[in-house]
Amino acid sequence: MIEIKQLAPDEADWQSLVDCLRVGGDAHWVLDEYGQPKTDDLVFLAGLVDGQVVGQLVLRRQPIMIPATEWAAERDRLLRDPDGEPLYETLVQTFRVVEAHRRQGVGRAMQLRALDLTKALGCIQMRSWSSLDKPANYHLKLSLGFGFHPEVQETPSSLKVSGGYFVKRV
Ligand SMILES: CC(C)(COP(=O)(O)OP(=O)(O)OC[C@H]1O[C@@H](n2cnc3c(N)ncnc32)[C@H](O)[C@@H]1OP(=O)(O)O)[C@@H](O)C(=O)NCCC(=O)NCCS
């Protein structure tokens, strides 16, 4: 049986979620050295099969920022609604299911919960970036109705990586 839980550090399954993040190599994005959330704007989802954590999806809630340029006086700008209120989104930080439990619907169930949560958190959209070597992720996102914006990202070692942003209005 698949179950999706939102977890915080004081909850019973937290350590299993930390282990799942570490095994997948994703922990450094969202956890500090003590296995605690790196920042307080993160939301942690665990995917469980028969009570065992087999997947994770971590979101960050953030204002939608339009990057600074010389043209914009070097200032980041917030995207605002017609009344001037800042608009928020969730940005997926990590998303993975352990190999032995893939293609059983855990990833899809976590994405659906994340979309519900995005709405509940007062955000207008959910967004994630994915390099193009992730066919399962591309298939899943497109089948859920996400749009796609192609984009190249550069790693700290100046390697350019082809991929794009998936965005869905909630
Ligand atoms: C992406 C990922 C989380 C999906 O998890 P999952 O639990 O296997 O996903 P689901 O079982 O819910 O399957 C979702 C859809 O993807 C499809 N799919 C799964 N693997 C696929 C593959 N290798 N190629 C094409 N489609 C694939 C499934 O058939 C399913 O579609 P369907 O419902 O129409 O049949 C998992 O493949 C994974 O952990 N990949 C490595 C990490 C990764 O790429 N993360 C992405 C963010 S960077």
Side-chain angles (χ1 to χ4, degrees):
M1 189 194 69
I2 296 174
E3 200 186 346
I4 310 301
K5 285 186 184 173
Q6 183 183 343
L7 292 176
D10 56 348
E11 287 177 275
D13 287 312
W14 176 259
Q15 193 52 48
S16 303
L17 175 61
V18 169
D19 294 344
C20 186
L21 279 158
R22 286 184 174 149
V23 167
D26 297 317
H28 67 286
W29 296 112
V30 292
L31 298 175
D32 66 17
E33 59 195 296
Y34 308 107
Q36 298 294 305
K38 256 186 164 172
T39 53
D40 60 10
D41 50 7
L42 297 174
V43 180
F44 292 80
L45 292 181
L48 295 86
V49 172
D50 298 333
Q52 211 195 328
V53 175
V54 300
Q56 45 78 15
L57 189 161
V58 182
L59 295 168
R60 163 170 286 135
R61 183 182 188 273
Q62 60 185 27
I64 303 174
M65 198 76 85
I66 304 165
T69 57
E70 193 181 347
W71 177 85
E74 301 297 355
R75 279 176 48 210
D76 288 335
R77 309 291 168 118
L78 297 176
L79 183 67
R80 296 176 185 274
D81 73 10
D83 297 323
E85 292 300 317
L87 293 166
Y88 284 76
E89 66 177 354
T90 54
L91 182 63
V92 177
Q93 308 293 303
T94 68
F95 173 45
R96 189 179 299 273
V97 172
V98 300
E99 269 189 58
H101 285 279
R102 287 184 191 164
R103 306 202 88 146
Q104 295 171 13
V106 179
R108 182 179 294 275
M110 288 196 292
Q111 287 286 329
L112 289 169
R113 174 63 75 81
L115 285 164
D116 285 348
L117 206 49
T118 296
K119 194 164 189 174
L121 289 167
C123 299
I124 64 158
Q125 65 185 27
M126 183 167 123
R127 187 159 67 97
S128 61
W129 190 85
S130 183
S131 50
L132 62 71
D133 58 345
K134 304 206 163 46
N137 191 41
Y138 275 58
H139 176 104
L140 175 53
K141 294 278 170 47
L142 292 173
S143 77
L144 285 168
F146 278 78
F148 184 69
H149 180 101
E151 204 220 42
V152 170
Q153 286 207 348
E154 202 166 328
T155 67
S157 60
S158 299
L159 177 70
K160 289 195 167 126
V161 183
S162 303
Y165 279 104
F166 288 98
V167 187
K168 187 163 165 65
R169 184 83 195 232
V170 295

mmCIF file of all heavy atoms in Angstrom, residues 2 26 54 56 92-99 101-111 128-131 133-141 143, ligand 1:
data_model
loop_
_atom_site.group_PDB
_atom_site.id
_atom_site.type_symbol
_atom_site.label_atom_id
_atom_site.label_comp_id
_atom_site.label_asym_id
_atom_site.label_seq_id
_atom_site.Cartn_x
_atom_site.Cartn_y
_atom_site.Cartn_z
ATOM 1 N N ILE A 2 0.555 2.190 -0.937
ATOM 2 C CA ILE A 2 1.323 3.441 -1.025
ATOM 3 C C ILE A 2 0.688 4.504 -0.134
ATOM 4 O O ILE A 2 -0.526 4.690 -0.126
ATOM 5 C CB ILE A 2 1.342 3.945 -2.487
ATOM 6 C CG1 ILE A 2 2.073 2.949 -3.383
ATOM 7 C CG2 ILE A 2 1.988 5.331 -2.571
ATOM 8 C CD1 ILE A 2 2.021 3.283 -4.858
ATOM 9 N N ASP A 26 21.022 12.878 -2.200
ATOM 10 C CA ASP A 26 20.346 14.181 -2.290
ATOM 11 C C ASP A 26 20.385 14.982 -0.993
ATOM 12 O O ASP A 26 19.952 16.145 -0.970
ATOM 13 C CB ASP A 26 18.865 13.974 -2.669
ATOM 14 C CG ASP A 26 18.705 13.340 -4.039
ATOM 15 O OD1 ASP A 26 19.417 13.754 -4.966
ATOM 16 O OD2 ASP A 26 17.863 12.435 -4.175
ATOM 17 N N VAL A 54 10.355 4.749 0.868
ATOM 18 C CA VAL A 54 11.065 4.334 -0.354
ATOM 19 C C VAL A 54 11.262 5.502 -1.325
ATOM 20 O O VAL A 54 11.848 5.318 -2.400
ATOM 21 C CB VAL A 54 10.327 3.181 -1.079
ATOM 22 C CG1 VAL A 54 10.200 1.957 -0.174
ATOM 23 C CG2 VAL A 54 8.965 3.630 -1.591
ATOM 24 N N GLN A 56 11.316 10.186 -1.729
ATOM 25 C CA GLN A 56 11.226 11.503 -1.101
ATOM 26 C C GLN A 56 11.043 12.579 -2.150
ATOM 27 O O GLN A 56 11.503 12.439 -3.294
ATOM 28 C CB GLN A 56 12.465 11.771 -0.229
ATOM 29 C CG GLN A 56 13.803 11.415 -0.847
ATOM 30 C CD GLN A 56 14.327 12.413 -1.866
ATOM 31 O OE1 GLN A 56 13.848 13.533 -1.950
ATOM 32 N NE2 GLN A 56 15.323 12.029 -2.643
ATOM 33 N N VAL A 92 10.796 22.380 -6.569
ATOM 34 C CA VAL A 92 11.222 21.042 -6.124
ATOM 35 C C VAL A 92 12.746 21.031 -5.964
ATOM 36 O O VAL A 92 13.481 21.403 -6.881
ATOM 37 C CB VAL A 92 10.771 19.967 -7.141
ATOM 38 C CG1 VAL A 92 11.274 18.583 -6.714
ATOM 39 C CG2 VAL A 92 9.255 19.967 -7.282
ATOM 40 N N GLN A 93 13.198 20.605 -4.785
ATOM 41 C CA GLN A 93 14.640 20.547 -4.505
ATOM 42 C C GLN A 93 15.197 19.156 -4.775
ATOM 43 O O GLN A 93 16.306 19.015 -5.273
ATOM 44 C CB GLN A 93 14.891 20.891 -3.019
ATOM 45 C CG GLN A 93 14.256 22.189 -2.572
ATOM 46 C CD GLN A 93 14.909 23.384 -3.242
ATOM 47 O OE1 GLN A 93 16.111 23.575 -3.142
ATOM 48 N NE2 GLN A 93 14.121 24.171 -3.949
ATOM 49 N N THR A 94 14.454 18.132 -4.385
ATOM 50 C CA THR A 94 14.887 16.746 -4.596
ATOM 51 C C THR A 94 13.637 15.895 -4.857
ATOM 52 O O THR A 94 12.560 16.189 -4.327
ATOM 53 C CB THR A 94 15.614 16.157 -3.359
ATOM 54 O OG1 THR A 94 14.670 16.012 -2.293
ATOM 55 C CG2 THR A 94 16.760 17.032 -2.887
ATOM 56 N N PHE A 95 13.817 14.843 -5.676
ATOM 57 C CA PHE A 95 12.696 13.945 -5.993
ATOM 58 C C PHE A 95 13.304 12.616 -6.441
ATOM 59 O O PHE A 95 13.989 12.575 -7.461
ATOM 60 C CB PHE A 95 11.850 14.564 -7.113
ATOM 61 C CG PHE A 95 10.755 13.682 -7.646
ATOM 62 C CD1 PHE A 95 9.921 12.957 -6.794
ATOM 63 C CD2 PHE A 95 10.525 13.585 -9.013
ATOM 64 C CE1 PHE A 95 8.910 12.148 -7.293
ATOM 65 C CE2 PHE A 95 9.518 12.781 -9.526
ATOM 66 C CZ PHE A 95 8.708 12.069 -8.661
ATOM 67 N N ARG A 96 13.078 11.576 -5.674
ATOM 68 C CA ARG A 96 13.685 10.284 -6.010
ATOM 69 C C ARG A 96 12.917 9.141 -5.341
ATOM 70 O O ARG A 96 12.436 9.277 -4.219
ATOM 71 C CB ARG A 96 15.143 10.255 -5.533
ATOM 72 C CG ARG A 96 15.954 9.052 -6.002
ATOM 73 C CD ARG A 96 17.392 9.124 -5.491
ATOM 74 N NE ARG A 96 18.085 10.302 -5.972
ATOM 75 C CZ ARG A 96 18.737 10.376 -7.135
ATOM 76 N NH1 ARG A 96 18.793 9.326 -7.910
ATOM 77 N NH2 ARG A 96 19.334 11.492 -7.498
ATOM 78 N N VAL A 97 12.854 8.013 -6.054
ATOM 79 C CA VAL A 97 12.306 6.769 -5.495
ATOM 80 C C VAL A 97 13.418 5.728 -5.576
ATOM 81 O O VAL A 97 14.138 5.670 -6.592
ATOM 82 C CB VAL A 97 11.056 6.318 -6.300
ATOM 83 C CG1 VAL A 97 10.591 4.935 -5.866
ATOM 84 C CG2 VAL A 97 9.924 7.335 -6.154
ATOM 85 N N VAL A 98 13.599 4.937 -4.531
ATOM 86 C CA VAL A 98 14.671 3.928 -4.571
ATOM 87 C C VAL A 98 14.388 2.937 -5.710
ATOM 88 O O VAL A 98 13.231 2.627 -5.996
ATOM 89 C CB VAL A 98 14.835 3.172 -3.223
ATOM 90 C CG1 VAL A 98 15.173 4.123 -2.090
ATOM 91 C CG2 VAL A 98 13.601 2.364 -2.887
ATOM 92 N N GLU A 99 15.459 2.485 -6.350
ATOM 93 C CA GLU A 99 15.304 1.718 -7.593
ATOM 94 C C GLU A 99 14.356 0.532 -7.461
ATOM 95 O O GLU A 99 13.535 0.277 -8.342
ATOM 96 C CB GLU A 99 16.673 1.266 -8.088
ATOM 97 C CG GLU A 99 17.255 2.306 -9.024
ATOM 98 C CD GLU A 99 18.526 1.840 -9.724
ATOM 99 O OE1 GLU A 99 18.489 0.810 -10.410
ATOM 100 O OE2 GLU A 99 19.532 2.528 -9.545
ATOM 101 N N HIS A 101 11.766 0.145 -5.927
ATOM 102 C CA HIS A 101 10.335 0.477 -5.831
ATOM 103 C C HIS A 101 9.866 1.427 -6.937
ATOM 104 O O HIS A 101 8.804 2.029 -6.815
ATOM 105 C CB HIS A 101 10.027 1.059 -4.447
ATOM 106 C CG HIS A 101 10.003 0.008 -3.383
ATOM 107 N ND1 HIS A 101 8.915 -0.803 -3.158
ATOM 108 C CD2 HIS A 101 10.954 -0.393 -2.526
ATOM 109 C CE1 HIS A 101 9.203 -1.650 -2.179
ATOM 110 N NE2 HIS A 101 10.429 -1.425 -1.780
ATOM 111 N N ARG A 102 10.647 1.540 -8.017
ATOM 112 C CA ARG A 102 10.205 2.404 -9.120
ATOM 113 C C ARG A 102 9.120 1.722 -9.944
ATOM 114 O O ARG A 102 8.951 0.525 -9.906
ATOM 115 C CB ARG A 102 11.410 2.767 -10.008
ATOM 116 C CG ARG A 102 12.310 3.782 -9.304
ATOM 117 C CD ARG A 102 13.454 4.263 -10.154
ATOM 118 N NE ARG A 102 14.374 5.015 -9.287
ATOM 119 C CZ ARG A 102 15.617 5.330 -9.597
ATOM 120 N NH1 ARG A 102 16.102 4.994 -10.774
ATOM 121 N NH2 ARG A 102 16.360 5.993 -8.727
ATOM 122 N N ARG A 103 8.395 2.517 -10.693
ATOM 123 C CA ARG A 103 7.310 2.074 -11.588
ATOM 124 C C ARG A 103 6.185 1.382 -10.836
ATOM 125 O O ARG A 103 5.535 0.480 -11.341
ATOM 126 C CB ARG A 103 7.861 1.164 -12.699
ATOM 127 C CG ARG A 103 9.000 1.831 -13.472
ATOM 128 C CD ARG A 103 9.218 1.251 -14.826
ATOM 129 N NE ARG A 103 8.362 1.915 -15.815
ATOM 130 C CZ ARG A 103 8.706 2.127 -17.070
ATOM 131 N NH1 ARG A 103 9.866 1.714 -17.530
ATOM 132 N NH2 ARG A 103 7.886 2.737 -17.891
ATOM 133 N N GLN A 104 5.968 1.814 -9.593
ATOM 134 C CA GLN A 104 4.843 1.280 -8.811
ATOM 135 C C GLN A 104 3.857 2.396 -8.458
ATOM 136 O O GLN A 104 2.938 2.181 -7.676
ATOM 137 C CB GLN A 104 5.358 0.628 -7.521
ATOM 138 C CG GLN A 104 6.223 -0.588 -7.756
ATOM 139 C CD GLN A 104 6.897 -1.103 -6.486
ATOM 140 O OE1 GLN A 104 6.557 -0.706 -5.377
ATOM 141 N NE2 GLN A 104 7.858 -1.985 -6.660
ATOM 142 N N GLY A 105 4.118 3.607 -8.971
ATOM 143 C CA GLY A 105 3.200 4.722 -8.718
ATOM 144 C C GLY A 105 3.577 5.606 -7.545
ATOM 145 O O GLY A 105 2.845 6.553 -7.235
ATOM 146 N N VAL A 106 4.719 5.349 -6.902
ATOM 147 C CA VAL A 106 5.104 6.165 -5.733
ATOM 148 C C VAL A 106 5.453 7.591 -6.168
ATOM 149 O O VAL A 106 5.033 8.568 -5.551
ATOM 150 C CB VAL A 106 6.301 5.528 -4.977
ATOM 151 C CG1 VAL A 106 6.701 6.385 -3.788
ATOM 152 C CG2 VAL A 106 5.957 4.119 -4.529
ATOM 153 N N GLY A 107 6.227 7.699 -7.269
ATOM 154 C CA GLY A 107 6.620 9.020 -7.763
ATOM 155 C C GLY A 107 5.405 9.861 -8.127
ATOM 156 O O GLY A 107 5.294 11.029 -7.747
ATOM 157 N N ARG A 108 4.469 9.259 -8.856
ATOM 158 C CA ARG A 108 3.252 9.982 -9.246
ATOM 159 C C ARG A 108 2.464 10.429 -8.004
ATOM 160 O O ARG A 108 1.994 11.560 -7.932
ATOM 161 C CB ARG A 108 2.378 9.096 -10.144
ATOM 162 C CG ARG A 108 1.116 9.771 -10.650
ATOM 163 C CD ARG A 108 0.317 8.841 -11.563
ATOM 164 N NE ARG A 108 1.018 8.536 -12.803
ATOM 165 C CZ ARG A 108 0.980 9.301 -13.888
ATOM 166 N NH1 ARG A 108 0.262 10.406 -13.902
ATOM 167 N NH2 ARG A 108 1.647 8.959 -14.967
ATOM 168 N N ALA A 109 2.336 9.544 -7.030
ATOM 169 C CA ALA A 109 1.577 9.885 -5.813
ATOM 170 C C ALA A 109 2.239 11.045 -5.064
ATOM 171 O O ALA A 109 1.553 11.937 -4.548
ATOM 172 C CB ALA A 109 1.475 8.653 -4.913
ATOM 173 N N MET A 110 3.579 11.069 -5.026
ATOM 174 C CA MET A 110 4.254 12.185 -4.349
ATOM 175 C C MET A 110 4.073 13.491 -5.117
ATOM 176 O O MET A 110 3.871 14.556 -4.518
ATOM 177 C CB MET A 110 5.753 11.875 -4.172
ATOM 178 C CG MET A 110 6.025 10.824 -3.120
ATOM 179 S SD MET A 110 7.753 10.796 -2.584
ATOM 180 C CE MET A 110 8.562 10.208 -4.063
ATOM 181 N N GLN A 111 4.127 13.428 -6.450
ATOM 182 C CA GLN A 111 3.905 14.643 -7.248
ATOM 183 C C GLN A 111 2.497 15.205 -7.020
ATOM 184 O O GLN A 111 2.319 16.416 -6.879
ATOM 185 C CB GLN A 111 4.089 14.341 -8.744
ATOM 186 C CG GLN A 111 5.533 14.138 -9.175
ATOM 187 C CD GLN A 111 6.334 15.433 -9.224
ATOM 188 O OE1 GLN A 111 5.801 16.508 -9.494
ATOM 189 N NE2 GLN A 111 7.619 15.330 -8.947
ATOM 190 N N SER A 128 10.066 22.815 -11.270
ATOM 191 C CA SER A 128 11.266 22.010 -11.014
ATOM 192 C C SER A 128 12.152 22.071 -12.243
ATOM 193 O O SER A 128 11.673 22.311 -13.358
ATOM 194 C CB SER A 128 10.902 20.560 -10.713
ATOM 195 O OG SER A 128 10.243 19.975 -11.811
ATOM 196 N N TRP A 129 13.448 21.877 -12.027
ATOM 197 C CA TRP A 129 14.384 21.820 -13.162
ATOM 198 C C TRP A 129 14.873 20.396 -13.302
ATOM 199 O O TRP A 129 15.124 19.716 -12.302
ATOM 200 C CB TRP A 129 15.579 22.754 -12.933
ATOM 201 C CG TRP A 129 16.425 22.885 -14.175
ATOM 202 C CD1 TRP A 129 16.216 23.755 -15.200
ATOM 203 C CD2 TRP A 129 17.572 22.102 -14.539
ATOM 204 N NE1 TRP A 129 17.157 23.564 -16.175
ATOM 205 C CE2 TRP A 129 18.007 22.554 -15.800
ATOM 206 C CE3 TRP A 129 18.261 21.059 -13.918
ATOM 207 C CZ2 TRP A 129 19.094 22.022 -16.454
ATOM 208 C CZ3 TRP A 129 19.353 20.508 -14.580
ATOM 209 C CH2 TRP A 129 19.768 20.997 -15.833
ATOM 210 N N SER A 130 15.000 19.923 -14.544
ATOM 211 C CA SER A 130 15.475 18.556 -14.756
ATOM 212 C C SER A 130 16.394 18.509 -15.960
ATOM 213 O O SER A 130 16.058 19.053 -17.024
ATOM 214 C CB SER A 130 14.266 17.644 -14.974
ATOM 215 O OG SER A 130 14.672 16.307 -15.119
ATOM 216 N N SER A 131 17.558 17.877 -15.799
ATOM 217 C CA SER A 131 18.415 17.634 -16.959
ATOM 218 C C SER A 131 17.718 16.615 -17.863
ATOM 219 O O SER A 131 16.833 15.888 -17.416
ATOM 220 C CB SER A 131 19.786 17.117 -16.505
ATOM 221 O OG SER A 131 19.626 16.041 -15.609
ATOM 222 N N ASP A 133 18.467 13.857 -19.102
ATOM 223 C CA ASP A 133 18.775 12.421 -18.989
ATOM 224 C C ASP A 133 17.861 11.717 -17.986
ATOM 225 O O ASP A 133 18.246 10.727 -17.382
ATOM 226 C CB ASP A 133 20.247 12.241 -18.564
ATOM 227 C CG ASP A 133 20.549 12.939 -17.246
ATOM 228 O OD1 ASP A 133 19.732 13.771 -16.809
ATOM 229 O OD2 ASP A 133 21.603 12.655 -16.649
ATOM 230 N N LYS A 134 16.642 12.251 -17.803
ATOM 231 C CA LYS A 134 15.738 11.671 -16.809
ATOM 232 C C LYS A 134 14.383 11.341 -17.455
ATOM 233 O O LYS A 134 13.377 12.006 -17.206
ATOM 234 C CB LYS A 134 15.543 12.641 -15.644
ATOM 235 C CG LYS A 134 16.877 13.053 -15.009
ATOM 236 C CD LYS A 134 16.727 13.449 -13.587
ATOM 237 C CE LYS A 134 18.034 13.461 -12.835
ATOM 238 N NZ LYS A 134 19.163 14.103 -13.514
ATOM 239 N N PRO A 135 14.352 10.306 -18.316
ATOM 240 C CA PRO A 135 13.132 10.017 -19.085
ATOM 241 C C PRO A 135 11.915 9.752 -18.209
ATOM 242 O O PRO A 135 10.798 10.163 -18.560
ATOM 243 C CB PRO A 135 13.506 8.776 -19.904
ATOM 244 C CG PRO A 135 14.752 8.232 -19.287
ATOM 245 C CD PRO A 135 15.436 9.370 -18.617
ATOM 246 N N ALA A 136 12.109 9.088 -17.078
ATOM 247 C CA ALA A 136 10.946 8.786 -16.222
ATOM 248 C C ALA A 136 10.340 10.083 -15.696
ATOM 249 O O ALA A 136 9.111 10.257 -15.695
ATOM 250 C CB ALA A 136 11.376 7.893 -15.061
ATOM 251 N N ASN A 137 11.189 11.002 -15.276
ATOM 252 C CA ASN A 137 10.710 12.279 -14.756
ATOM 253 C C ASN A 137 9.995 13.081 -15.850
ATOM 254 O O ASN A 137 8.932 13.663 -15.613
ATOM 255 C CB ASN A 137 11.895 13.065 -14.191
ATOM 256 C CG ASN A 137 11.460 14.267 -13.397
ATOM 257 O OD1 ASN A 137 10.501 14.201 -12.630
ATOM 258 N ND2 ASN A 137 12.141 15.379 -13.575
ATOM 259 N N TYR A 138 10.561 13.096 -17.060
ATOM 260 C CA TYR A 138 9.928 13.830 -18.167
ATOM 261 C C TYR A 138 8.552 13.236 -18.481
ATOM 262 O O TYR A 138 7.569 13.952 -18.630
ATOM 263 C CB TYR A 138 10.828 13.801 -19.421
ATOM 264 C CG TYR A 138 11.878 14.895 -19.423
ATOM 265 C CD1 TYR A 138 12.808 15.002 -18.388
ATOM 266 C CD2 TYR A 138 11.937 15.836 -20.440
ATOM 267 C CE1 TYR A 138 13.770 15.995 -18.374
ATOM 268 C CE2 TYR A 138 12.897 16.849 -20.430
ATOM 269 C CZ TYR A 138 13.813 16.914 -19.397
ATOM 270 O OH TYR A 138 14.759 17.915 -19.380
ATOM 271 N N HIS A 139 8.488 11.906 -18.551
ATOM 272 C CA HIS A 139 7.219 11.239 -18.853
ATOM 273 C C HIS A 139 6.169 11.575 -17.783
ATOM 274 O O HIS A 139 5.035 11.945 -18.082
ATOM 275 C CB HIS A 139 7.442 9.727 -18.925
ATOM 276 C CG HIS A 139 6.186 8.946 -19.127
ATOM 277 N ND1 HIS A 139 5.838 8.395 -20.335
ATOM 278 C CD2 HIS A 139 5.171 8.645 -18.270
ATOM 279 C CE1 HIS A 139 4.670 7.788 -20.208
ATOM 280 N NE2 HIS A 139 4.247 7.914 -18.964
ATOM 281 N N LEU A 140 6.610 11.456 -16.534
ATOM 282 C CA LEU A 140 5.687 11.685 -15.418
ATOM 283 C C LEU A 140 5.165 13.125 -15.423
ATOM 284 O O LEU A 140 3.948 13.363 -15.340
ATOM 285 C CB LEU A 140 6.419 11.370 -14.103
ATOM 286 C CG LEU A 140 5.713 11.643 -12.792
ATOM 287 C CD1 LEU A 140 4.350 10.977 -12.755
ATOM 288 C CD2 LEU A 140 6.562 11.143 -11.630
ATOM 289 N N LYS A 141 6.060 14.109 -15.535
ATOM 290 C CA LYS A 141 5.653 15.513 -15.482
ATOM 291 C C LYS A 141 4.718 15.864 -16.641
ATOM 292 O O LYS A 141 3.702 16.539 -16.453
ATOM 293 C CB LYS A 141 6.877 16.430 -15.516
ATOM 294 C CG LYS A 141 7.778 16.320 -14.301
ATOM 295 C CD LYS A 141 7.235 17.150 -13.161
ATOM 296 C CE LYS A 141 7.924 16.908 -11.845
ATOM 297 N NZ LYS A 141 9.370 16.898 -11.866
ATOM 298 N N SER A 143 2.825 13.853 -18.310
ATOM 299 C CA SER A 143 1.532 13.166 -18.159
ATOM 300 C C SER A 143 0.673 13.823 -17.079
ATOM 301 O O SER A 143 -0.543 13.653 -17.052
ATOM 302 C CB SER A 143 1.738 11.679 -17.861
ATOM 303 O OG SER A 143 2.115 11.492 -16.514
HETATM 304 C C1 LIG B 1 11.491 10.003 -11.551
HETATM 305 C C2 LIG B 1 11.145 8.979 -10.479
HETATM 306 C C3 LIG B 1 11.128 9.649 -9.113
HETATM 307 C C4 LIG B 1 9.754 8.391 -10.799
HETATM 308 O O1 LIG B 1 9.387 7.558 -9.711
HETATM 309 P P1 LIG B 1 8.445 6.255 -9.900
HETATM 310 O O2 LIG B 1 7.917 5.895 -8.568
HETATM 311 O O3 LIG B 1 9.177 5.217 -10.655
HETATM 312 O O4 LIG B 1 7.293 6.867 -10.807
HETATM 313 P P2 LIG B 1 5.882 6.183 -11.111
HETATM 314 O O5 LIG B 1 5.935 4.722 -10.827
HETATM 315 O O6 LIG B 1 4.852 6.996 -10.405
HETATM 316 O O7 LIG B 1 5.822 6.343 -12.682
HETATM 317 C C5 LIG B 1 5.523 7.555 -13.273
HETATM 318 C C6 LIG B 1 5.416 7.418 -14.754
HETATM 319 O O8 LIG B 1 6.720 7.356 -15.350
HETATM 320 C C7 LIG B 1 6.788 6.225 -16.214
HETATM 321 N N1 LIG B 1 8.145 5.774 -16.209
HETATM 322 C C8 LIG B 1 8.813 5.233 -15.170
HETATM 323 N N2 LIG B 1 10.060 4.935 -15.549
HETATM 324 C C9 LIG B 1 10.176 5.294 -16.858
HETATM 325 C C10 LIG B 1 11.233 5.266 -17.807
HETATM 326 N N3 LIG B 1 12.457 4.782 -17.471
HETATM 327 N N4 LIG B 1 11.012 5.750 -19.054
HETATM 328 C C11 LIG B 1 9.798 6.252 -19.395
HETATM 329 N N5 LIG B 1 8.747 6.312 -18.526
HETATM 330 C C12 LIG B 1 8.949 5.851 -17.276
HETATM 331 C C13 LIG B 1 5.825 5.245 -15.618
HETATM 332 O O9 LIG B 1 5.421 4.309 -16.587
HETATM 333 C C14 LIG B 1 4.714 6.129 -15.161
HETATM 334 O O10 LIG B 1 3.877 6.470 -16.221
HETATM 335 P P3 LIG B 1 2.436 5.787 -16.377
HETATM 336 O O11 LIG B 1 1.721 6.033 -15.060
HETATM 337 O O12 LIG B 1 1.873 6.522 -17.529
HETATM 338 O O13 LIG B 1 2.732 4.343 -16.617
HETATM 339 C C15 LIG B 1 12.178 7.803 -10.478
HETATM 340 O O14 LIG B 1 12.295 7.282 -11.772
HETATM 341 C C16 LIG B 1 13.553 8.204 -9.972
HETATM 342 O O15 LIG B 1 13.798 8.211 -8.772
HETATM 343 N N6 LIG B 1 14.483 8.542 -10.898
HETATM 344 C C17 LIG B 1 15.825 8.952 -10.514
HETATM 345 C C18 LIG B 1 15.855 10.344 -9.918
HETATM 346 C C19 LIG B 1 15.235 11.374 -10.842
HETATM 347 O O16 LIG B 1 15.329 11.293 -12.061
HETATM 348 N N7 LIG B 1 14.622 12.386 -10.252
HETATM 349 C C20 LIG B 1 13.970 13.417 -11.023
HETATM 350 C C21 LIG B 1 14.201 14.758 -10.500
HETATM 351 S S1 LIG B 1 15.757 15.433 -10.925
#
